[in-house]
Amino acid sequence: MTASPSKQAKISVDASGLAVSVADQDYIITLDSKDMVGLAVELLNRAQKLYVQEKEKEAAERRATTTAL
């Protein structure tokens, strides 16, 4: 899946926060350590959810293949 240039976003992270670029506009978001920890936890939770969804999809595909045989 390729996004058009106007719909692409870039995110950079450093010790002081985030820099977000959307459609050639730059936004600086300053985060304190509590915010950074909260963001990290949220990203981890979402990544875990996506991982579980992918594994469930793979298992369903295997069951469908086994059933078809």
Side-chain angles (χ1 to χ4, degrees), residues 17-46:
L18 304 171
V20 179
S21 297
V22 179
D24 297 325
Q25 293 289 326
D26 295 328
Y27 304 93
I28 305 300
I29 303 166
T30 303
L31 301 171
D32 61 20
S33 60
K34 180 181 174 186
D35 291 334
M36 290 291 273
V37 169
L39 177 60
V41 168
E42 183 65 26
L43 291 171
L44 178 59
N45 287 339
R46 288 181 185 234

PDB file of all heavy atoms in Angstrom, residues 17-46:
ATOM      1  N   GLY A  17      10.810  14.875  22.813  1.00  0.00           N
ATOM      2  CA  GLY A  17       9.453  14.698  22.312  1.00  0.00           C
ATOM      3  C   GLY A  17       9.413  14.199  20.887  1.00  0.00           C
ATOM      4  O   GLY A  17      10.283  13.457  20.452  1.00  0.00           O
ATOM      5  N   LEU A  18       8.412  14.652  20.161  1.00  0.00           N
ATOM      6  CA  LEU A  18       8.167  14.194  18.800  1.00  0.00           C
ATOM      7  C   LEU A  18       8.217  15.360  17.831  1.00  0.00           C
ATOM      8  O   LEU A  18       7.842  16.468  18.163  1.00  0.00           O
ATOM      9  CB  LEU A  18       6.766  13.582  18.692  1.00  0.00           C
ATOM     10  CG  LEU A  18       6.395  12.443  19.619  1.00  0.00           C
ATOM     11  CD1 LEU A  18       4.917  12.140  19.490  1.00  0.00           C
ATOM     12  CD2 LEU A  18       7.217  11.226  19.304  1.00  0.00           C
ATOM     13  N   ALA A  19       8.653  15.049  16.624  1.00  0.00           N
ATOM     14  CA  ALA A  19       8.522  15.988  15.519  1.00  0.00           C
ATOM     15  C   ALA A  19       7.686  15.272  14.475  1.00  0.00           C
ATOM     16  O   ALA A  19       7.997  14.153  14.080  1.00  0.00           O
ATOM     17  CB  ALA A  19       9.881  16.369  14.957  1.00  0.00           C
ATOM     18  N   VAL A  20       6.592  15.872  14.074  1.00  0.00           N
ATOM     19  CA  VAL A  20       5.680  15.271  13.115  1.00  0.00           C
ATOM     20  C   VAL A  20       5.634  16.147  11.874  1.00  0.00           C
ATOM     21  O   VAL A  20       5.454  17.360  11.973  1.00  0.00           O
ATOM     22  CB  VAL A  20       4.257  15.132  13.708  1.00  0.00           C
ATOM     23  CG1 VAL A  20       3.304  14.516  12.698  1.00  0.00           C
ATOM     24  CG2 VAL A  20       4.293  14.328  14.996  1.00  0.00           C
ATOM     25  N   SER A  21       5.825  15.519  10.716  1.00  0.00           N
ATOM     26  CA  SER A  21       5.714  16.239   9.446  1.00  0.00           C
ATOM     27  C   SER A  21       4.550  15.655   8.672  1.00  0.00           C
ATOM     28  O   SER A  21       4.497  14.447   8.438  1.00  0.00           O
ATOM     29  CB  SER A  21       6.993  16.081   8.627  1.00  0.00           C
ATOM     30  OG  SER A  21       8.080  16.642   9.303  1.00  0.00           O
ATOM     31  N   VAL A  22       3.601  16.508   8.307  1.00  0.00           N
ATOM     32  CA  VAL A  22       2.443  16.095   7.521  1.00  0.00           C
ATOM     33  C   VAL A  22       2.306  17.072   6.368  1.00  0.00           C
ATOM     34  O   VAL A  22       2.186  18.282   6.597  1.00  0.00           O
ATOM     35  CB  VAL A  22       1.156  16.084   8.370  1.00  0.00           C
ATOM     36  CG1 VAL A  22      -0.045  15.678   7.530  1.00  0.00           C
ATOM     37  CG2 VAL A  22       1.305  15.196   9.591  1.00  0.00           C
ATOM     38  N   ALA A  23       2.336  16.533   5.157  1.00  0.00           N
ATOM     39  CA  ALA A  23       2.170  17.362   3.952  1.00  0.00           C
ATOM     40  C   ALA A  23       3.081  18.592   3.995  1.00  0.00           C
ATOM     41  O   ALA A  23       2.640  19.722   3.828  1.00  0.00           O
ATOM     42  CB  ALA A  23       0.711  17.754   3.775  1.00  0.00           C
ATOM     43  N   ASP A  24       4.347  18.349   4.285  1.00  0.00           N
ATOM     44  CA  ASP A  24       5.368  19.404   4.316  1.00  0.00           C
ATOM     45  C   ASP A  24       5.167  20.450   5.410  1.00  0.00           C
ATOM     46  O   ASP A  24       5.749  21.516   5.361  1.00  0.00           O
ATOM     47  CB  ASP A  24       5.492  20.090   2.947  1.00  0.00           C
ATOM     48  CG  ASP A  24       5.944  19.127   1.864  1.00  0.00           C
ATOM     49  OD1 ASP A  24       6.749  18.226   2.184  1.00  0.00           O
ATOM     50  OD2 ASP A  24       5.489  19.265   0.729  1.00  0.00           O
ATOM     51  N   GLN A  25       4.339  20.168   6.376  1.00  0.00           N
ATOM     52  CA  GLN A  25       4.186  21.031   7.547  1.00  0.00           C
ATOM     53  C   GLN A  25       4.812  20.310   8.732  1.00  0.00           C
ATOM     54  O   GLN A  25       4.553  19.125   8.947  1.00  0.00           O
ATOM     55  CB  GLN A  25       2.705  21.310   7.848  1.00  0.00           C
ATOM     56  CG  GLN A  25       2.009  22.131   6.806  1.00  0.00           C
ATOM     57  CD  GLN A  25       2.476  23.569   6.804  1.00  0.00           C
ATOM     58  OE1 GLN A  25       2.810  24.149   7.831  1.00  0.00           O
ATOM     59  NE2 GLN A  25       2.516  24.164   5.626  1.00  0.00           N
ATOM     60  N   ASP A  26       5.660  21.002   9.506  1.00  0.00           N
ATOM     61  CA  ASP A  26       6.323  20.395  10.659  1.00  0.00           C
ATOM     62  C   ASP A  26       5.657  20.846  11.953  1.00  0.00           C
ATOM     63  O   ASP A  26       5.313  22.021  12.114  1.00  0.00           O
ATOM     64  CB  ASP A  26       7.798  20.793  10.692  1.00  0.00           C
ATOM     65  CG  ASP A  26       8.565  20.249   9.500  1.00  0.00           C
ATOM     66  OD1 ASP A  26       8.207  19.155   9.022  1.00  0.00           O
ATOM     67  OD2 ASP A  26       9.520  20.906   9.063  1.00  0.00           O
ATOM     68  N   TYR A  27       5.468  19.901  12.838  1.00  0.00           N
ATOM     69  CA  TYR A  27       4.884  20.167  14.151  1.00  0.00           C
ATOM     70  C   TYR A  27       5.801  19.566  15.208  1.00  0.00           C
ATOM     71  O   TYR A  27       6.192  18.416  15.101  1.00  0.00           O
ATOM     72  CB  TYR A  27       3.485  19.548  14.271  1.00  0.00           C
ATOM     73  CG  TYR A  27       2.547  20.006  13.188  1.00  0.00           C
ATOM     74  CD1 TYR A  27       2.403  19.273  12.017  1.00  0.00           C
ATOM     75  CD2 TYR A  27       1.822  21.180  13.328  1.00  0.00           C
ATOM     76  CE1 TYR A  27       1.551  19.700  11.009  1.00  0.00           C
ATOM     77  CE2 TYR A  27       0.973  21.615  12.314  1.00  0.00           C
ATOM     78  CZ  TYR A  27       0.847  20.866  11.164  1.00  0.00           C
ATOM     79  OH  TYR A  27       0.009  21.294  10.163  1.00  0.00           O
ATOM     80  N   ILE A  28       6.136  20.313  16.217  1.00  0.00           N
ATOM     81  CA  ILE A  28       6.967  19.840  17.311  1.00  0.00           C
ATOM     82  C   ILE A  28       6.060  19.625  18.525  1.00  0.00           C
ATOM     83  O   ILE A  28       5.311  20.523  18.917  1.00  0.00           O
ATOM     84  CB  ILE A  28       8.080  20.858  17.671  1.00  0.00           C
ATOM     85  CG1 ILE A  28       8.920  21.196  16.445  1.00  0.00           C
ATOM     86  CG2 ILE A  28       8.927  20.330  18.819  1.00  0.00           C
ATOM     87  CD1 ILE A  28       9.629  20.026  15.809  1.00  0.00           C
ATOM     88  N   ILE A  29       6.129  18.438  19.088  1.00  0.00           N
ATOM     89  CA  ILE A  29       5.307  18.101  20.245  1.00  0.00           C
ATOM     90  C   ILE A  29       6.266  17.770  21.385  1.00  0.00           C
ATOM     91  O   ILE A  29       7.002  16.785  21.325  1.00  0.00           O
ATOM     92  CB  ILE A  29       4.400  16.884  19.948  1.00  0.00           C
ATOM     93  CG1 ILE A  29       3.524  17.187  18.726  1.00  0.00           C
ATOM     94  CG2 ILE A  29       3.566  16.518  21.170  1.00  0.00           C
ATOM     95  CD1 ILE A  29       2.851  15.974  18.138  1.00  0.00           C
ATOM     96  N   THR A  30       6.286  18.604  22.395  1.00  0.00           N
ATOM     97  CA  THR A  30       7.173  18.387  23.523  1.00  0.00           C
ATOM     98  C   THR A  30       6.460  17.514  24.550  1.00  0.00           C
ATOM     99  O   THR A  30       5.313  17.788  24.922  1.00  0.00           O
ATOM    100  CB  THR A  30       7.562  19.732  24.171  1.00  0.00           C
ATOM    101  OG1 THR A  30       8.152  20.557  23.174  1.00  0.00           O
ATOM    102  CG2 THR A  30       8.526  19.517  25.308  1.00  0.00           C
ATOM    103  N   LEU A  31       7.145  16.460  24.958  1.00  0.00           N
ATOM    104  CA  LEU A  31       6.566  15.522  25.916  1.00  0.00           C
ATOM    105  C   LEU A  31       7.485  15.399  27.116  1.00  0.00           C
ATOM    106  O   LEU A  31       8.705  15.341  26.967  1.00  0.00           O
ATOM    107  CB  LEU A  31       6.401  14.146  25.272  1.00  0.00           C
ATOM    108  CG  LEU A  31       5.530  14.065  24.024  1.00  0.00           C
ATOM    109  CD1 LEU A  31       5.640  12.692  23.400  1.00  0.00           C
ATOM    110  CD2 LEU A  31       4.090  14.367  24.368  1.00  0.00           C
ATOM    111  N   ASP A  32       6.895  15.335  28.296  1.00  0.00           N
ATOM    112  CA  ASP A  32       7.719  15.064  29.466  1.00  0.00           C
ATOM    113  C   ASP A  32       7.871  13.547  29.605  1.00  0.00           C
ATOM    114  O   ASP A  32       7.295  12.773  28.836  1.00  0.00           O
ATOM    115  CB  ASP A  32       7.135  15.706  30.730  1.00  0.00           C
ATOM    116  CG  ASP A  32       5.757  15.193  31.099  1.00  0.00           C
ATOM    117  OD1 ASP A  32       5.361  14.102  30.651  1.00  0.00           O
ATOM    118  OD2 ASP A  32       5.068  15.892  31.859  1.00  0.00           O
ATOM    119  N   SER A  33       8.653  13.109  30.557  1.00  0.00           N
ATOM    120  CA  SER A  33       8.946  11.675  30.683  1.00  0.00           C
ATOM    121  C   SER A  33       7.682  10.854  30.953  1.00  0.00           C
ATOM    122  O   SER A  33       7.551   9.742  30.448  1.00  0.00           O
ATOM    123  CB  SER A  33       9.987  11.427  31.763  1.00  0.00           C
ATOM    124  OG  SER A  33       9.529  11.890  33.018  1.00  0.00           O
ATOM    125  N   LYS A  34       6.745  11.407  31.703  1.00  0.00           N
ATOM    126  CA  LYS A  34       5.490  10.697  31.971  1.00  0.00           C
ATOM    127  C   LYS A  34       4.720  10.484  30.675  1.00  0.00           C
ATOM    128  O   LYS A  34       4.190   9.397  30.418  1.00  0.00           O
ATOM    129  CB  LYS A  34       4.645  11.491  32.970  1.00  0.00           C
ATOM    130  CG  LYS A  34       3.331  10.829  33.319  1.00  0.00           C
ATOM    131  CD  LYS A  34       2.534  11.684  34.299  1.00  0.00           C
ATOM    132  CE  LYS A  34       1.171  11.098  34.527  1.00  0.00           C
ATOM    133  NZ  LYS A  34       0.328  11.957  35.357  1.00  0.00           N
ATOM    134  N   ASP A  35       4.658  11.532  29.842  1.00  0.00           N
ATOM    135  CA  ASP A  35       3.976  11.412  28.554  1.00  0.00           C
ATOM    136  C   ASP A  35       4.672  10.395  27.655  1.00  0.00           C
ATOM    137  O   ASP A  35       4.022   9.627  26.955  1.00  0.00           O
ATOM    138  CB  ASP A  35       3.935  12.765  27.834  1.00  0.00           C
ATOM    139  CG  ASP A  35       3.031  13.781  28.507  1.00  0.00           C
ATOM    140  OD1 ASP A  35       2.077  13.372  29.205  1.00  0.00           O
ATOM    141  OD2 ASP A  35       3.285  14.988  28.332  1.00  0.00           O
ATOM    142  N   MET A  36       6.011  10.396  27.651  1.00  0.00           N
ATOM    143  CA  MET A  36       6.769   9.460  26.814  1.00  0.00           C
ATOM    144  C   MET A  36       6.500   8.021  27.249  1.00  0.00           C
ATOM    145  O   MET A  36       6.341   7.140  26.410  1.00  0.00           O
ATOM    146  CB  MET A  36       8.266   9.765  26.873  1.00  0.00           C
ATOM    147  CG  MET A  36       8.642  11.061  26.180  1.00  0.00           C
ATOM    148  SD  MET A  36       8.460  11.005  24.399  1.00  0.00           S
ATOM    149  CE  MET A  36      10.031  10.369  23.933  1.00  0.00           C
ATOM    150  N   VAL A  37       6.435   7.792  28.551  1.00  0.00           N
ATOM    151  CA  VAL A  37       6.144   6.444  29.052  1.00  0.00           C
ATOM    152  C   VAL A  37       4.730   6.046  28.645  1.00  0.00           C
ATOM    153  O   VAL A  37       4.499   4.935  28.165  1.00  0.00           O
ATOM    154  CB  VAL A  37       6.326   6.362  30.587  1.00  0.00           C
ATOM    155  CG1 VAL A  37       5.778   5.055  31.133  1.00  0.00           C
ATOM    156  CG2 VAL A  37       7.799   6.511  30.944  1.00  0.00           C
ATOM    157  N   GLY A  38       3.782   6.951  28.786  1.00  0.00           N
ATOM    158  CA  GLY A  38       2.407   6.656  28.386  1.00  0.00           C
ATOM    159  C   GLY A  38       2.306   6.350  26.906  1.00  0.00           C
ATOM    160  O   GLY A  38       1.610   5.415  26.491  1.00  0.00           O
ATOM    161  N   LEU A  39       3.018   7.115  26.101  1.00  0.00           N
ATOM    162  CA  LEU A  39       3.027   6.880  24.656  1.00  0.00           C
ATOM    163  C   LEU A  39       3.646   5.528  24.336  1.00  0.00           C
ATOM    164  O   LEU A  39       3.112   4.768  23.525  1.00  0.00           O
ATOM    165  CB  LEU A  39       3.790   7.995  23.952  1.00  0.00           C
ATOM    166  CG  LEU A  39       3.958   7.864  22.446  1.00  0.00           C
ATOM    167  CD1 LEU A  39       2.604   7.822  21.748  1.00  0.00           C
ATOM    168  CD2 LEU A  39       4.813   9.000  21.920  1.00  0.00           C
ATOM    169  N   ALA A  40       4.757   5.209  24.983  1.00  0.00           N
ATOM    170  CA  ALA A  40       5.418   3.926  24.751  1.00  0.00           C
ATOM    171  C   ALA A  40       4.506   2.763  25.121  1.00  0.00           C
ATOM    172  O   ALA A  40       4.406   1.771  24.394  1.00  0.00           O
ATOM    173  CB  ALA A  40       6.723   3.844  25.548  1.00  0.00           C
ATOM    174  N   VAL A  41       3.800   2.881  26.233  1.00  0.00           N
ATOM    175  CA  VAL A  41       2.876   1.830  26.667  1.00  0.00           C
ATOM    176  C   VAL A  41       1.741   1.680  25.664  1.00  0.00           C
ATOM    177  O   VAL A  41       1.361   0.566  25.287  1.00  0.00           O
ATOM    178  CB  VAL A  41       2.336   2.120  28.088  1.00  0.00           C
ATOM    179  CG1 VAL A  41       1.176   1.211  28.441  1.00  0.00           C
ATOM    180  CG2 VAL A  41       3.457   1.986  29.111  1.00  0.00           C
ATOM    181  N   GLU A  42       1.192   2.792  25.201  1.00  0.00           N
ATOM    182  CA  GLU A  42       0.104   2.752  24.215  1.00  0.00           C
ATOM    183  C   GLU A  42       0.564   2.099  22.914  1.00  0.00           C
ATOM    184  O   GLU A  42      -0.135   1.259  22.339  1.00  0.00           O
ATOM    185  CB  GLU A  42      -0.422   4.159  23.943  1.00  0.00           C
ATOM    186  CG  GLU A  42      -1.589   4.209  22.993  1.00  0.00           C
ATOM    187  CD  GLU A  42      -2.845   3.546  23.516  1.00  0.00           C
ATOM    188  OE1 GLU A  42      -3.025   3.466  24.746  1.00  0.00           O
ATOM    189  OE2 GLU A  42      -3.657   3.100  22.675  1.00  0.00           O
ATOM    190  N   LEU A  43       1.746   2.467  22.443  1.00  0.00           N
ATOM    191  CA  LEU A  43       2.274   1.866  21.212  1.00  0.00           C
ATOM    192  C   LEU A  43       2.515   0.370  21.390  1.00  0.00           C
ATOM    193  O   LEU A  43       2.225  -0.426  20.491  1.00  0.00           O
ATOM    194  CB  LEU A  43       3.563   2.571  20.789  1.00  0.00           C
ATOM    195  CG  LEU A  43       3.393   4.007  20.297  1.00  0.00           C
ATOM    196  CD1 LEU A  43       4.753   4.656  20.119  1.00  0.00           C
ATOM    197  CD2 LEU A  43       2.596   4.048  19.006  1.00  0.00           C
ATOM    198  N   LEU A  44       3.041  -0.025  22.527  1.00  0.00           N
ATOM    199  CA  LEU A  44       3.266  -1.443  22.807  1.00  0.00           C
ATOM    200  C   LEU A  44       1.945  -2.205  22.838  1.00  0.00           C
ATOM    201  O   LEU A  44       1.819  -3.277  22.240  1.00  0.00           O
ATOM    202  CB  LEU A  44       4.000  -1.621  24.137  1.00  0.00           C
ATOM    203  CG  LEU A  44       4.264  -3.061  24.567  1.00  0.00           C
ATOM    204  CD1 LEU A  44       5.091  -3.806  23.532  1.00  0.00           C
ATOM    205  CD2 LEU A  44       4.955  -3.077  25.915  1.00  0.00           C
ATOM    206  N   ASN A  45       0.946  -1.653  23.505  1.00  0.00           N
ATOM    207  CA  ASN A  45      -0.361  -2.308  23.564  1.00  0.00           C
ATOM    208  C   ASN A  45      -0.963  -2.484  22.170  1.00  0.00           C
ATOM    209  O   ASN A  45      -1.504  -3.539  21.834  1.00  0.00           O
ATOM    210  CB  ASN A  45      -1.326  -1.516  24.450  1.00  0.00           C
ATOM    211  CG  ASN A  45      -0.997  -1.637  25.918  1.00  0.00           C
ATOM    212  OD1 ASN A  45      -0.324  -2.579  26.334  1.00  0.00           O
ATOM    213  ND2 ASN A  45      -1.446  -0.692  26.712  1.00  0.00           N
ATOM    214  N   ARG A  46      -0.854  -1.466  21.352  1.00  0.00           N
ATOM    215  CA  ARG A  46      -1.404  -1.553  19.986  1.00  0.00           C
ATOM    216  C   ARG A  46      -0.627  -2.559  19.146  1.00  0.00           C
ATOM    217  O   ARG A  46      -1.211  -3.297  18.360  1.00  0.00           O
ATOM    218  CB  ARG A  46      -1.426  -0.185  19.328  1.00  0.00           C
ATOM    219  CG  ARG A  46      -2.504   0.683  19.950  1.00  0.00           C
ATOM    220  CD  ARG A  46      -2.572   2.045  19.300  1.00  0.00           C
ATOM    221  NE  ARG A  46      -3.534   2.865  20.014  1.00  0.00           N
ATOM    222  CZ  ARG A  46      -4.536   3.471  19.430  1.00  0.00           C
ATOM    223  NH1 ARG A  46      -4.731   3.355  18.137  1.00  0.00           N
ATOM    224  NH2 ARG A  46      -5.363   4.207  20.135  1.00  0.00           N
TER     225      ARG A  46
END
